[in-house]
Amino acid sequence: LNKKRACIVIVRGGVPDEVFFPFNDLELARIIGEAEIPIFCVVGHAKDYVLATAVSFFPPNADDHIFETPSNISRYLFDNINP
């Protein structure tokens, strides 16, 4: 595992709120928060809030809009992580 380039991305597009329940799990939030490599979590759209996103990695100097949609995080990773 190349930790310099390694990351985990959790993505789920916008759906009814009940589908987001697993992303509010405290155990999942703990695992994300304690991870040794960056874990990006983008669930839903700008108006959606889940605990997993709140504790996930936020790149220094990144635009606040990075987590608004799965497309935004994909674009960020392609521009910044892709060799």
Side-chain angles (χ1 to χ4, degrees):
L1 180 65
N2 182 347
K3 288 189 178 184
K4 234 179 172 178
R5 296 234 183 250
C7 70
I8 295 171
V9 181
I10 300 169
V11 179
R12 180 66 169 106
V15 293
D17 289 344
E18 58 272 4
V19 176
F20 295 143
F21 291 156
F23 301 100
N24 285 315
D25 181 76
L26 291 176
E27 182 65 13
L28 176 62
R30 186 188 63 72
I31 291 167
I32 291 170
E34 294 176 357
E36 292 184 17
I37 62 172
I39 297 180
F40 296 87
C41 182
V42 184
V43 176
H45 296 287
K47 67 177 179 60
D48 300 313
Y49 177 85
V50 296
L51 189 56
T53 297
V55 299
S56 67
F57 180 75
F58 191 88
N61 304 320
D63 185 313
D64 286 345
H65 303 289
I66 188 174
F67 291 114
E68 284 189 351
T69 66
S71 300
N72 286 6
I73 193 65
S74 298
R75 195 170 11 266
Y76 173 84
L77 291 173
F78 183 79
D79 291 345
N80 294 283
I81 305 294
N82 197 28

